[in-house]
Every structure is written in structure tokens, then in C-alpha cells.
Amino acid sequence: MSSIYLPRTADALAFAMSTYGIPLLVLATTGSAALTGAAFALEWIPRLAAFGWVGSIVDRRGASVVFHLASLGRALVLAAGAVLLHLYPSGAMASVTVMVLAAATGVLTEFSYIATETAGAAAGRRAGSQAHRVQAVLLGIDQTATLAGPALAGVLLLAGPPSMLAVVTVLSLLAAMLALRTPPSPVAPARAPKGRPGAGLVTGWRTIRALPTLGWLVTGLTLSNLSIGLLQAAGPVIVVQHFGQSTTAVGLVWSAAAAATLAAVTICRFALDRLGLWPVGAACSAIASLACLAAALAPDYLSYLAMVAVLMAADGGLAVVLRTLRSRLIPPEAFGSTLSATILILLLPFPLAGVLTALTPPDALGHVITACAALQTLGLFCAFARLRTDPALRT
């Protein structure tokens, strides 16, 4: 509890508040839908660029060290942003500040996330045949944070941007302190030169190619993430400008989604015990595809909220399947590098979703989401059709 779950809880809450709160902060500060989409892309592009280093650094330095330094760095950046927004609440300086915050917190959060995932995978390996239960608890922590984070960020924005950033700063400092309790992860020898960017990704890519089961599942989930990323990036525009709701209502969408996901993860724990990975994963993929198509056609705010919640609940079930497979299949000495490569592939659609949101007129966003939902359906169907007889998913 104190060495894995509590540090993960503090970091996950800071992660959720910054990831969902900063686009809301941009919209509240600038009032621009295009800048909101651009900020979402800017939040993810540097995060993806960091993957050339982060996995190999975690493998060489250990998860606890990277976790501590990344959380501490995020706290310092957020504190500086809070001071600047207090001094310059609007205008060009405020716009520059929130855009820089999007980029800086994206990078630092990725380091802490890879570190906590590596520590969680080590805990799963120690659990043996009960690894899926450990992964379900970790995913439950993430979803509980996502349940509270967006709504809390929306409420704190009513008191002003500095208040929201101050709370995330405190959570980041708490995560940095608790990271000192995280057990050391296995440290691999540096086979590639330490200064060579991308060396960890090369190792991770080779590991994924040697594990076709993991590769097929990652491919399907990557196409699914394009739809999810578009709903996240366009969420403030859809809810505020299309449905006429407040910024708090945007946070409620993702809080409701997190609550549904938390329930789904609990159900999946028992379903996986009885049915195995493939039936649960296939059912979740079908539900996710149908819910995304329905969200694109939602006529009002409540139906949109409900469909997004169902979509994210199904995606949570798929995440349990993926995390369980990762902890089973990836060699411990290359876990950080392979995890970086895996997550890099999974996250590539998110900056693309931000760009699509910035370039698409608000009235046409529904059509773009529908097209992405169709692509999601095709990708998940092909992945689980290919894995139907795979022994790794039959247990």
C-alpha cells in the first residue's frame, strides 16, 4: 500500500488534473477553440518526443529515482505557472504561460507515468498468477483519480487558474515524497550508448516485434485511441460551445467516465478469473466501438455524457487485458524500454486528435468522430479476430 499504491494515487490525481485541466485552463484563459485543440496537441507532442529517452533511463536508473525527480520537476513548473497567472491573468503572457505549461507538464508526467508503470509491473510479477488483480487495482487507482481530477479541476477553475495549479503542485510534491518509498526496480546494463536518443525505443520495438500477441493488441488499441483522443481534445468545444454547458460540465463528463470505468474494472477482475482474457477483451472491444459511434451522434449533453462513460468503461476493460499481457510477456530487464515503445505507439493518435480539433470547424466535429469510430471498429475487430486462438489470451 505505502510503497506502490499510495505513490501511484498521488501521481495519478496530479496526472488527471493536469491532463484534463490544462485544456480547460486554455479555453477559460483564451476563449479560443483552436488554441484549446492546439494546447492538447502541444501537451502530447513533447510527451511523445520524450519516449526516446524515458524508457532506457528508467531501466538504467530505476523507477523510484525517475519517479521522484519527475514529480518534483512537475511541482516546480506548476508553481511557477501559478505565480505567473496570478500576476498576468489575461493577455499574451497568460496565453504563453498556459501553452508552456501544457508542454512541460506533458513531458514530466510521462516520466513519472513510465516509472510508476514499471514499479506496478514488478509488483504484478511478484503476484504470479494473480497479476491481473494487481493490474486491476492499479487501473482502479488511475480511474478513481480520473473520476475526481477533472471535476476538481473544473471546480477549482471557478476560483481562478492559480488555485487549480496550486492544488496540482501540492499533489506533485506529495507524489515526489512518496516515491522515495517505491521499491527499486531491476536495473539493466546499458547495452547502447547512454547519449544515443532512441536506443531504448529500438530495444522496445524489437521486443514488441518478437511478441506478436502484444503487437496485435497494441495495433487495435492505437486505432481505438484516435477516437478517444478526439473526444478528449474536442470535449471542451463540444460541451461548452455545442451543448452550451459550463467548463465544470466538461469535467463531469470525464468524472462520469472514470466512475463507469472503475465499475467496469471491478467487474473485469471477476470476469477474467472465470472467462479468460480473450472473451473479456472481445466483449469490451465491441461495446467500445458501438459507444463511440453513439457518442458521435448524441443529440444532447446527457446522452453524450452517457456514451462517453460507456466507451471509457469498455476501454478500461481493454486496458486490464493489455496490462496483464504486458506484465506476463515483456522481459523484466527490458520492461521500461518496451513499455515506452508500447505507450508511444498507443499515444501517437492523441496529438493527431488535437490537430484535427484545431483544424475542424466545431459544427463538423461530429462527422470526424464518426469516421474515427468506424476506424476504431475495424481495428479492434481485426485485432481480436487474429488473437482468437492465441494461447496467451486463453488464460
Side-chain angles (χ1 to χ4, degrees), residues 129-177:
S129 62
Q130 300 300 309
H132 65 277
R133 291 182 173 271
V134 174
Q135 297 305 320
V137 171
L138 293 175
L139 187 57
I141 289 172
D142 291 346
Q143 293 307 317
T144 301
T146 306
L147 171 63
L152 181 58
V155 170
L156 288 172
L157 271 178
L158 298 176
S163 299
M164 187 197 81
L165 294 178
V167 172
V168 186
T169 299
V170 171
L171 289 169
S172 297
L173 285 174
L174 180 61
M177 294 171 59

Side-chain angles (χ1 to χ4, degrees), residues 237 356-366 368:
V237 180
L356 285 174
T357 301
L359 297 179
T360 304
D363 292 341
L365 282 172
V368 177

Side-chain angles (χ1 to χ4, degrees), residues 30-251:
T30 66
S32 170
L35 283 179
T36 301
F40 190 86
L42 191 61
E43 190 175 12
W44 285 100
I45 290 173
R47 187 178 293 193
L48 299 181
F51 276 97
W53 301 88
V54 60
S56 57
I57 289 176
V58 170
D59 282 342
R60 286 199 298 264
R61 304 301 182 189
S64 59
V65 173
V66 175
F67 182 19
H68 172 73
L69 295 177
S71 298
L72 185 61
R74 182 175 58 203
L76 295 174
V77 168
L78 289 167
V83 171
L84 287 174
L85 287 178
H86 177 73
L87 297 174
Y88 306 97
S90 61
M93 178 60 75
S95 299
V96 171
T97 298
V98 293
M99 300 300 275
V100 171
L101 278 175
T105 57
V107 171
L108 293 168
T109 296
E110 203 54 56
F111 273 86
S112 67
Y113 178 73
I114 294 296
T116 56
E117 281 288 278
T118 301
R125 284 191 294 272
R126 289 193 294 270
S129 62
Q130 300 300 309
H132 65 277
R133 291 182 173 271
V134 174
Q135 297 305 320
V137 171
L138 293 175
L139 187 57
I141 289 172
D142 291 346
Q143 293 307 317
T144 301
T146 306
L147 171 63
L152 181 58
V155 170
L156 288 172
L157 271 178
L158 298 176
S163 299
M164 187 197 81
L165 294 178
V167 172
V168 186
T169 299
V170 171
L171 289 169
S172 297
L173 285 174
L174 180 61
M177 294 171 59
L178 291 172
L180 300 175
R181 297 184 176 186
T182 303
S185 58
V187 178
R191 295 184 176 87
K194 293 185 179 181
R196 179 183 167 191
L201 290 181
V202 171
T203 300
W205 175 246
R206 288 174 178 170
T207 305
I208 293 173
R209 289 183 60 187
L211 300 170
T213 300
L214 183 63
W216 274 101
L217 187 57
V218 167
T219 300
L221 290 178
T222 300
L223 295 175
S224 177
N225 279 352
L226 180 60
S227 296
I228 294 173
L230 190 58
L231 287 171
Q232 288 185 9
V237 180
I238 293 173
V239 174
V240 175
Q241 297 188 358
H242 182 65
F243 292 132
Q245 302 293 318
S246 67
T247 56
T248 303
V250 181

